[in-house]
Amino acid sequence: MPKIMDGKKLAEDIKNAVRKEVLKLNERGFDVGLSVVLAGDDPASEQYFLAITKASKHVGITVYRHKLSGAVSTNELLNTVQSLNTDERVNGIMLFLPLPKRINARRIINSIAPEKDVDGLGAISIGRLAAEESTFQLFKGNEAEGLASRKLLPYMSSFIPCTPYGVIRFLEYYGVELKGKHVVVISKSLAVGKPLSLMLLAKEATVTVCHRETKNLPELTKQADILCTATGRPGLIKGDMVKDGVVIVDIGIKVLPDGRIVGDIAFDSVKDKVSLITPVPGGVGPVTIAMLLENTMMSAKRSELLKSPLMM
Ligand SMILES: NC(=O)c1ccc[n+]([C@@H]2O[C@H](COP(=O)([O-])OP(=O)(O)OC[C@H]3O[C@@H](n4cnc5c(N)ncnc54)[C@H](OP(=O)(O)O)[C@@H]3O)[C@@H](O)[C@H]2O)c1
């Protein structure tokens, strides 16, 4: 049987470390705030919002909810984001997707100030990741000091996206070496595949990116030392598509008509071949939320540093 990588345990560890840092900020008179912007009545967004609120409460981050109607205009959304960009209480802004179809979501995401873009999906945040200007977040400081020593460069004002960052932290947590390894990523989406590939390159892996137009997917997946998949296509990856000893991170999430939540991997058919695998649910999902909280706390730390008399 493969070893299951426990997302709940990793998320708890990250949240406990975030909680300690938030408490230290509180002791120095700084509160940490996360604004969440929702437009319309998407039931999945409401569920996700509740999960974020619960986790934020646990670590001492205040969540500000900005619920707009499904009939919201682009101007209203831009004005909401603009007011949050200048609100001192707000360290992070998260825009829930999907937005109503009439709205150009990229325009709204790009209006979030990079220093508050804790979801890391704005053009500046992604550009800095590609230019290796924000990848410092991926590299640990002093192991013994844990999160407190994760590098924070106060002049660098953007964050890396939560889901792919969570994948890297997963692999790190379970001691999976990336340098020189062949990692196959199935997805080229802006939320997952593209930034994940950039992060893996920063970690000196050899990266193959696959998508719907990829010919001979099984030939490529069979070469993977590490396989990361985020398609939302249940059962896409089967046992005959992977090599013995592969490490699999299943990022895909699909709710089946019977209510079961599944990923991209046909678990039973791969289980005798893989060495490590993330479950769905209980894998990458909880870690994504923990990363959002860590980014928000880091944003608050940066803002505190910039307010210090030494920086004046
Ligand atoms: N665990 C988490 O925290 C978390 C966070 C975000 C997303 N997710 C899940 O991850 C999945 C993807 O989300 P997303 O927002 O990135 O979706 P998306 O924008 O639709 O991207 C899906 C990607 O998968 C590729 N793809 C789809 N079917 C494929 C196939 N048969 N063979 C090869 N590639 C295929 C697509 O290729 P093309 O580019 O060619 O279309 C695309 O690059 C969803 O299930 C979502 O729920 C989970």
Side-chain angles (χ1 to χ4, degrees):
M1 275 302 270
K3 187 168 174 204
I4 307 288
M5 295 192 267
D6 185 348
K8 287 186 188 156
K9 166 90 175 64
L10 170 57
E12 276 313 304
D13 284 4
I14 294 170
K15 283 188 287 184
N16 287 337
V18 169
R19 190 159 182 261
K20 281 189 197 148
E21 295 300 310
V22 170
L23 273 173
K24 283 190 216 162
L25 280 160
N26 295 159
E27 280 160 14
R28 297 195 292 266
F30 289 90
D31 287 329
V32 185
L34 171 68
S35 273
V36 175
V37 180
L38 300 114
D41 292 305
D42 178 39
S45 292
E46 287 295 335
Q47 286 296 318
Y48 193 30
F49 172 76
L50 288 176
I52 289 175
T53 307
K54 191 174 162 209
S56 300
K57 205 171 167 192
H58 174 71
V59 303
I61 292 179
T62 306
V63 174
Y64 303 102
R65 184 176 194 257
H66 308 271
K67 176 85 165 66
L68 305 165
S69 92
V72 68
S73 67
T74 297
N75 257 350
E76 275 175 88
L77 271 162
L78 288 173
N79 286 336
T80 303
V81 170
Q82 196 49 45
S83 73
L84 299 175
N85 281 342
T86 53
D87 188 333
E88 290 247 312
R89 296 167 306 165
V90 176
N91 303 106
I93 302 170
M94 190 195 175
L95 179 71
F96 269 55
L97 300 173
L99 291 179
K101 283 205 169 64
R102 301 165 285 106
I103 309 274
N104 178 343
R106 289 302 306 164
R107 193 172 164 206
I108 313 299
I109 293 170
N110 287 338
S111 73
I112 298 173
E115 65 271 21
K116 295 190 180 186
D117 181 19
V118 288
D119 214 13
L121 296 177
I124 290 180
S125 304
I126 295 283
R128 285 189 179 145
L129 173 60
E132 299 214 351
E133 288 178 7
S134 63
T135 44
F136 60 87
Q137 270 184 281
L138 296 171
F139 299 99
K140 282 192 255 188
N142 180 346
E143 187 78 47
E145 288 169 23
L147 182 56
S149 75
R150 236 169 228 279
K151 285 185 189 150
L152 174 75
L153 307 182
Y155 54 86
M156 194 50 68
S157 54
S158 62
F159 296 93
I160 55 179
C162 302
T163 299
Y165 189 14
V167 172
I168 300 284
R169 290 287 281 272
F170 236 127
L171 295 168
E172 218 173 50
Y173 191 70
Y174 281 91
V176 179
E177 176 70 44
L178 288 168
K179 193 182 277 194
K181 293 290 168 62
H182 185 191
V183 186
V184 174
V185 176
I186 313 178
S187 162
K188 62 172 170 58
S189 79
L190 196 59
V192 187
K194 225 172 260 176
L196 177 58
S197 309
L198 293 169
M199 290 178 210
L200 291 164
L201 287 173
K203 288 279 198 178
E204 297 181 318
T206 300
V207 184
T208 300
V209 182
C210 304
H211 47 83
R212 258 187 292 207
E213 298 302 327
T214 299
K215 311 281 182 254
N216 58 34
L217 184 66
E219 269 176 45
L220 295 166
T221 53
K222 262 189 248 173
Q223 295 173 34
D225 300 313
I226 300 159
L227 179 66
C228 303
T229 178
T231 68
R233 304 281 181 274
L236 177 71
I237 304 298
K238 300 182 178 62
D240 59 358
M241 294 170 72
V242 296
K243 71 176 179 188
D244 281 332
V246 65
V247 173
I248 297 183
V249 182
D250 191 354
I251 306 151
I253 299 176
K254 180 88 179 176
V255 184
L256 298 179
D258 64 7
R260 276 184 304 137
I261 298 171
V262 295
D264 293 355
I265 305 288
F267 186 87
D268 282 342
S269 91
V270 302
K271 69 178 192 301
D272 294 331
K273 289 181 118 176
V274 299
S275 55
L276 278 170
I277 188 167
T278 57
V280 178
V284 179
V287 181
T288 294
I289 294 181
M291 298 321 302
L292 176 72
L293 302 180
E294 186 181 298
N295 276 351
T296 306
M297 177 277 292
M298 286 291 202
S299 172
K301 270 177 106 167
R302 177 184 171 276
S303 153
E304 183 208 13
L305 264 173
L306 291 177
K307 283 178 189 151
S308 119
L310 293 173
M311 299 292 284
M312 300 285 182

